[in-house]
């Protein structure tokens, strides 16, 4: 096993970390299993494609999270808030329908052809690290994910809004009774969760290829990451995302066919052994 | 709010995904309701998912062919009507749509079905349906082997034909140590096996063979293994989005620059050139259809297609056009639109097509046609294939398998 393979695992884990933290945030607070999360990720990648093509990838890293945050505001105000007293399955079906709509909208705007995005000039080629030449863009993804994780955890732990989010994620009704504006908190969380999905899409655009079904590939894996991490636990999702990325990549080196089932095995093992997930209900 | 339903949520996600996989779109026809003398062809391509673009382009090939014959008054006085369907490439959906098209709408002929598993399932049902299928896309050898059917006609080259077309050129390609990265699919395994034999016969060494599952998004670990194997040439069998991800990531790892040869198998094609970028210039790939083919029929087809759709045709619309040419030649010879008579007329029939003079082999219904090796070069209007070798069907086409019996 060489250092490059470990870095491959960390790079994939970084992408899963960013994507799953947004899903975990929304589930933790709203209790919504957002099946549209993969579509948000895909939309982020396609918007990043257009911004990169016409302006620059660096601008895409700013524009995409902002655009997806606005979509998150719409999700919260039009769907999640009015339907908050409906059953989980109903809300899940709504988000699933939204995902299908998003896929068709992407086809209408960008077409069915597979697209690709080049890394920005400063992040092309390789960089020497631990004695191996490793793609600079993958290293940038790892750095971006670490910065995001540190910023998110600091924000949740050190700020008043973060305190409210943690409180509301534990018990929304009691948090409301205690005077927390849960609607405002939900709006922040859903828009931030969507923004993170968009950021993951923008980071993934030069990493993978773009097609309208790209969100589906990741959705199931990210749902598993969130369940394994502890449903609603942001830190748990980050840790399990990183762990799954590394384990799956290293298993691929040994046997690609076995690596495909690693997430599902992890899901079964965790549900049997620790159904509350690795981090339980700790946000 | 109750949060204890992660397993339920996942189960729902999987169930919904599966439900979505079973979707099929309704049909549209291009010439209204036909009468009893109308030749009805059901086109059943994937219209969603990663293969949707190829499905759309397959229909374009048929449409051009049908427009041409209808403009001339049809075939033997029969107008041709296309019943355009849509699936997600799922075998069960395709079968259901095919049965409906034949039983309810009177289609006697089927085209634009895409994947080999769909064709395998369809072939088993064709006799019962009383319809003929023209396969211009599924390349699995088994379709003209133990999965062959009297009512199925294999228009496209099989994997063996494509590999045999490459095999003659492997010896002259730069690089002695080859690494294989292939899709973990029947096609990928058979291509890797055939290539390994051909490489050894040419005095080359295969130092690494890896199979990546379909829809792999991260090729980092595969590329790292290729780099550490000491390979100086790569044979890659990755399709569509997987192929683009592989090429892009190979560039990011600086793998491509360190190789003397990259030989793709069904990996590089014209619709993917923009997404693959300039880094593929110099790549070799099998080419099923030569757009510059020097015959009148091809020139007319390329001109009509380019005029109607704004870009030159590539193998998907072209092979589907050849499928239409085959059907029309059969109807013309049979002087009938009865599927059984058309089938009998096609056995051993030689006719002119956009790929030159071709023959429908009676033994297994494989169309005998040339195959090519192309190299991506920078052209005036962007990247293009330059044909560097042509292999005639007597060199590429294996003997009909004894497992195929009508």
């Amino acid at each position: 096993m060489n250092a490059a393979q470990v870095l491959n695992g960390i790079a994939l884990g970084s992408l899963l970390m960013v994507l799953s933290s947004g899903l975990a945030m929304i589930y933790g607070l709203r209790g919504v299993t957002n099946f549209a999360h993969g579509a948000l990720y895909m939309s982020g990648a396609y918007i990043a494609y257009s911004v990169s093509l016409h302006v620059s990838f660096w601008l895409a890293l700013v524009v995409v999270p902002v655009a997806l945050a606005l979509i998150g505001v719409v999700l919260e105000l039009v769907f999640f808030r009015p339907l908050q007293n409906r059953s989980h399955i109903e809300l899940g079906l709504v988000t699933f329908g939204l995902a299908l709509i998003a896929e068709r909208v992407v086809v209408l705007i960008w077409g069915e052809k597979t697209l690709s995005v080049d890394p920005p000039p400063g992040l092309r080629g390789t960089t020497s690290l631990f004695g191996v030449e490793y793609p600079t863009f993958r290293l940038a993804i790892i750095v971006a994910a670490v910065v995001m994780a540190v910023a998110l955890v600091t924000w949740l732990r050190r700020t008043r809004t973060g305190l409210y989010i943690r409180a509301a994620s534990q018990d929304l009704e009691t948090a409301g009774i205690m005077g927390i504006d849960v609607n405002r908190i939900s709006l922040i969380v859903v828009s931030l969760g969507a923004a993170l999905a968009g950021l993951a899409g923008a980071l993934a655009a030069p990493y993978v290829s773009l097609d309208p079904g790209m969100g589906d590939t990741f959705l199931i894996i990210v749902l598993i990451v969130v369940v394994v991490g502890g449903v609603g636990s942001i830190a748990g999702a980050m840790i399990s995302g990183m762990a799954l990325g590394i384990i799956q990549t290293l298993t691929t080196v040994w046997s690609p066919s076995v690596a495909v089932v690693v997430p599902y095995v992890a899901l079964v093992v965790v549900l049997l052994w620790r159904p509350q997930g690795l981090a339980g209900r700790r946000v | 709010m109750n949060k204890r339903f992660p397993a339920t949520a996942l189960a729902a996600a999987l169930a919904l995904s599966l439900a979505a996989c079973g979707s099929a779109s309704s049909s549209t026809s291009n010439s209204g309701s036909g009468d009893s003398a109308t030749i009805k062809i059901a086109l059943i391509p994937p219209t969603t998912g990663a293969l949707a673009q190829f499905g759309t382009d397959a229909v374009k090939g048929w449409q051009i062919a049908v427009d041409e014959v209808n403009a001339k008054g049809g075939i033997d006085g029969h107008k041709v009507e296309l019943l355009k369907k849509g699936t997600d490439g799922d075998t069960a959906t395709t079968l259901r749509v095919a049965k409906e098209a034949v039983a309810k709408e009177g289609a006697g002929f089927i085209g634009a079905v895409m994947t080999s598993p769909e064709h395998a399932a369809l072939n088993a049902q064709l006799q019962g349906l009383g319809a003929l299928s023209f396969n211009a896309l599924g390349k699995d050898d088994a379709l003209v082997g133990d999965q062959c059917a009297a009512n199925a006609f294999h228009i496209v080259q099989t994997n063996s034909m494509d590999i045999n077309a490459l095999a003659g050129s492997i010896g002259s390609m730069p690089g002695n140590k080859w690494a294989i990265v292939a899709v973990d699919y029947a096609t990928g395994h058979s291509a890797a096996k055939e290539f390994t034999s051909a490489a050894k016969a040419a005095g080359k060494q295969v130092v690494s063979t890896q199979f990546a599952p379909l829809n792999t998004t991260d090729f980092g670990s595969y590329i790292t293994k290729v780099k550490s194997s000491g390979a100086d040439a790569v044979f890659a069998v990755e399709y569509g989005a997987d192929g683009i991800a592989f090429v892009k990531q190979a560039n990011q790892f600086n793998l491509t620059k360190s190789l003397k040869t990259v030989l793709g198998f069904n990996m590089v094609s014209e619709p993917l050139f923009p997404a693959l970028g300039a880094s593929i210039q110099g790549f070799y790939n099998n080419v099923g259809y030569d757009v510059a083919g020097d015959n009148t029929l091809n020139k007319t087809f390329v001109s009509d297609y380019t005029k109607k759709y704004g870009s030159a045709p590539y193998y998907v619309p072209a092979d589907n056009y050849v499928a239409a040419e085959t059907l029309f030649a059969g109807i013309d010879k049979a002087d009938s639109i009865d599927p059984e008579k058309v089938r009998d007329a096609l056995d051993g029939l030689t006719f002119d097509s956009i790929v030159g003079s071709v023959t429908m082999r009676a033994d297994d219904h494989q169309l005998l046609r040339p195959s090519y090796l192309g190299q991506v070069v920078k052209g005036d209007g962007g990247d293009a294939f330059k044909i560097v070798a042509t292999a005639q069907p007597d060199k590429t086409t294996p003997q009909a398998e004894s497992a195929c019996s009508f």
Side-chain angles (χ1 to χ4, degrees), chain A residues 5 8 27-28 30 33 35 84 88 112-114 116-117 126 138 169 205-209 223 252-253 256-257 260, chain B residues 1-3 5-6 9-10 13 16 53 56 184 211 213 218 220-222 224-225 241 244 248-249 252-254 275:
Chain A
Q5 294 291 17
N8 284 332
Y27 183 80
R30 267 291 173 217
T33 306
F35 293 125
Q84 60 184 318
H88 294 300
E112 294 160 333
K113 283 184 181 170
T114 307
S116 73
V117 177
T126 58
R138 289 185 178 228
S169 295
Y207 190 120
V208 299
S209 51
L223 281 170
T252 300
V253 178
S257 304
V260 174
Chain B
M1 201 174 279
N2 176 19
K3 293 176 183 170
F5 80 112
L10 274 172
L16 287 167
Q53 179 65 48
T56 304
D184 193 3
F211 296 101
D218 184 5
S221 56
Y222 301 92
T224 302
K225 275 181 93 169
I244 292 172
K248 277 176 56 181
Q249 291 169 26
Q252 290 171 16
F253 275 85
N254 276 344

Side-chain angles (χ1 to χ4, degrees), chain A residues 127-206:
Chain A
T127 298
S128 184
L129 189 74
F130 307 128
V132 292
E133 292 292 322
Y134 197 73
T136 310
F137 185 74
R138 289 185 178 228
L139 294 173
I141 287 180
I142 296 169
V143 171
V146 170
V147 169
M148 185 280 301
V150 171
L152 195 58
V153 170
T154 306
W155 181 65
L156 286 170
R157 294 203 173 276
R158 305 280 181 202
T159 66
R160 185 167 291 274
T161 306
L163 178 68
Y164 291 166
I165 290 172
R166 283 186 288 142
S169 295
Q170 291 291 318
D171 192 323
L172 196 65
E173 285 177 16
T174 308
I177 293 166
M178 298 298 286
I180 294 173
D181 184 349
V182 292
N183 280 339
R184 177 176 156 272
I185 293 297
S186 292
L187 189 64
I188 292 170
V189 163
V190 174
S191 56
L192 183 60
L196 286 171
L199 177 65
L203 288 172

Side-chain angles (χ1 to χ4, degrees), chain B residues 95 98-99 102 108-111 113 118-135 147-153 339 343 365:
Chain B
L95 273 185
K99 286 175 182 173
V102 173
F109 310 98
I110 297 168
V113 173
E118 288 174 276
H119 281 290
L122 186 60
N123 285 3
Q125 302 290 327
L126 283 172
Q127 193 155 12
L129 289 171
L132 306 187
S133 167
F134 294 82
N135 171 16
Q147 294 168 356
C148 76
N151 286 15
F153 294 87
R343 178 190 65 200
H365 288 175

